[in-house]
Amino acid sequence: MVRFESVGLRYGGNGGQHPSPEVLHDISFELPEGMFCWLRGASGAGKTSLLRLMYLAVLPTSGRLTLLGADIGRTPRASLPHLRRRIGVVFQDFRLLAHLTAFENVALPLRLAGGAEAQIRADVTELLRWVGLGRKLHVLPRALSGGEQQRVAIARAVIARPRLLLADEPTGNMDEEQAERLMVLLRELNRIGTTVVVASHNDALMNRHPAAALRLEDGRLVRGA
Amino acid sequence: MKVPSASARASRSDELGLRRALSGWMLPLLVAAMALLAALSMAGWVGSTALSRQWHEGAGAALTVQVPRPMEPAVKPEGTRLAAAVALLSAARGVASVHVLTDAELAELLRPWLGDSAGQLALPMPAVVAVKLKGAAVDLGALGRTLEESAPGTMLEDHGVWMRRLSALAFGLQACAMLALVLVCGIAIAVISVATRAGLAARRDAIEIVHGLGATDGFIAGRFARRAMLLAASGGLVGGLAAIPMFVALAAFAAPFADNARPAMSVQDLLAALPLPLWGCIGALPAVAAAIGFATAQMTVRRWLRHLP
């Protein structure tokens, strides 16, 4: 499902006379399909950079990355969008499109994948009702509370039934109850086969939901975490 | 289920929020100005082409032949020198008509120099033959030699020097018009490219989000191209409409020189007198502007997107 082999990442690439410092060094691990995995580490350890590699926002500058069976270094750029559509991402800052309604934000992944409009309407409406936003389908994000925006972001990440779901500090802006509800949702998605990776530094949450973990320190993977 | 509102339907096709990023009147206004300049360049092209054609059909399709001592016998065939010249001219390939100017017509030609008494002067006048040519090229060298053998001293004037100069002038005007058109297109491309880059900078976050959700380069470039096409087309339409009164004004200035000139022509007459290519130009401006907008935005966005993985 996800395999890192001596992967390094340097923003701005390796080119130029003064390349930027490497933010991830010699990362190697493998996540089998259907796994739930915590990604631990202090702020600045490289969790977000590792997730960015996993959702193809950046490409490795060294090593080999295999995602969903595709060797990214050998995959043509034109094929990457199709891979991205099979990866869902929940961002800490939600990253909703401010000019689109909750419905349009959630429908976007399906429309990009070329789904039928009638099916999209039914699926998005059902999912938004399920996350408790059935009355706010056509409301813009700025008119939603932080928790509601979070639920829209989660709905957008899971609407296309991704095979890999990544979450970057998803509970950072939530109270304990909301965080627990989100964990139940992520666990449920994992139970039906989605591989889930959650970056967090919330030890209490991780202790309540024990699972395999990767620990990063200064851009390096620490064994035995 | 609630039917999505018009604004919801509109936002469905504006995932990147380009109605705000590429909005306002600046781009359509600049494209309208470019379209107006393009229309005026086309008017210059059409006008110089029409002038060139008129010159070729007028002076270029005529010969003047002067036969001195017209009533004296020709060397061959038998008869007067004038009759021999007329017979040779009439039989020549490419000649449409031959007309020997009458004394009255000659006097009329000479009036500016010799006054009303031109016809009564006892000057030894040559006969003047006006020859009209038709499409096929006439071998003037061979015709001149034949006339010289039959009626020595006969002069054949083909207006060649003037025609070459006028043709060069017409070609120069056409080249200037074409250069102006190319420049206008170049500036329009630059303007649309700059506006697109501004849109890319303004919507960078939205582009990165949509790109991360699996949008292809074609999808993102297509959204920009559609917006740029719409704005450029509206500018082209405004520019084309603004060109019409200018064309009418130009037609009013040119009307006195036209073959079918009338003392006072109405606006409707002037509009009807506009050459068909100019109407075609006005009709094509929005489409051409749209095509330039579409292609420029596509190329600009696709090049920019290469920076994303």
Side-chain angles (χ1 to χ4, degrees), chain B:
Chain B
M1 180 179 294
K2 274 172 72 176
V3 176
S5 65
S7 64
R9 281 197 300 275
S11 67
R12 185 185 305 161
S13 58
D14 187 29
E15 296 87 351
L16 299 171
L18 298 181
R19 269 197 293 276
R20 285 186 189 171
L22 287 175
S23 65
W25 286 101
M26 191 49 78
L27 183 59
L29 208 63
L30 287 171
V31 173
M34 297 296 120
L36 181 58
L37 289 174
L40 292 176
S41 302
M42 274 303 293
W45 168 271
V46 169
S48 55
T49 304
L51 270 180
S52 175
R53 193 174 54 245
Q54 273 188 353
W55 290 336
H56 275 97
E57 287 172 358
L63 283 178
T64 306
V65 178
Q66 290 184 42
V67 186
R69 305 181 307 283
M71 293 303 137
E72 291 182 13
V75 175
K76 62 174 182 179
E78 289 184 11
T80 63
R81 287 159 56 87
L82 176 60
V86 168
L88 284 171
L89 287 167
S90 301
R93 189 163 160 271
V95 170
S97 66
V98 175
H99 169 62
V100 180
L101 267 62
T102 61
D103 289 344
E105 286 170 326
L106 269 176
E108 189 63 31
L109 275 178
L110 294 171
R111 192 187 307 281
W113 290 275
L114 302 179
D116 289 338
S117 58
Q120 295 150 16
L121 295 173
L123 289 171
M125 299 289 288
V128 176
V129 185
V131 180
K132 284 212 181 291
L133 304 177
K134 53 189 177 190
V138 179
D139 186 349
L140 295 175
L143 185 59
R145 281 191 297 278
T146 312
L147 285 170
E148 181 64 26
E149 287 168 10
S150 176
T154 299
M155 287 189 293
L156 187 148
E157 191 184 344
D158 67 341
H159 318 297
V161 175
W162 283 106
M163 276 315 301
R164 279 190 290 278
R165 288 176 184 172
L166 289 172
S167 291
L169 175 63
F171 177 77
L173 290 172
Q174 287 170 337
C176 285
M178 192 46 65
L179 182 66
L181 203 58
V182 169
L183 277 174
V184 162
C185 287
I187 294 169
I189 288 170
V191 164
I192 292 167
S193 179
V194 167
T196 304
R197 281 172 189 280
L200 284 166
R203 303 304 298 161
R204 188 186 178 104
D205 283 349
I207 293 166
E208 285 181 354
I209 291 169
V210 174
H211 179 261
L213 290 172
T216 59
D217 288 2
F219 175 88
I220 296 170
R223 289 298 189 261
F224 270 89
R226 203 170 58 182
R227 183 73 185 150
M229 183 175 75
L230 195 71
L231 295 176
S234 61
L237 183 66
V238 171
L241 292 175
I244 293 175
M246 295 206 174
F247 286 169
V248 169
L250 285 173
F253 289 135
F257 305 101
D259 292 338
N260 54 353
R262 276 180 282 154
M265 292 179 82
S266 67
V267 172
Q268 284 85 349
D269 292 337
L270 291 168
L271 282 171
L274 285 181
L276 204 58
L278 284 186
W279 284 114
C281 164
I282 291 168
L285 274 175
V288 172
I292 290 175
F294 184 88
T296 304
Q298 277 274 355
M299 284 190 287
T300 306
V301 175
R302 282 177 186 269
R303 187 175 296 168
W304 186 88
L305 285 172
R306 279 189 222 146
H307 299 300
L308 299 181

Side-chain angles (χ1 to χ4, degrees), chain A residues 57 77 84-85 95 99 111, chain B residues 12 15 17 214 217 305 309:
Chain A
R77 187 175 174 278
R84 289 191 185 100
R85 289 174 200 165
R95 304 200 74 184
H99 60 284
R111 288 195 175 130
Chain B
R12 185 185 305 161
E15 296 87 351
D217 288 2
L305 285 172

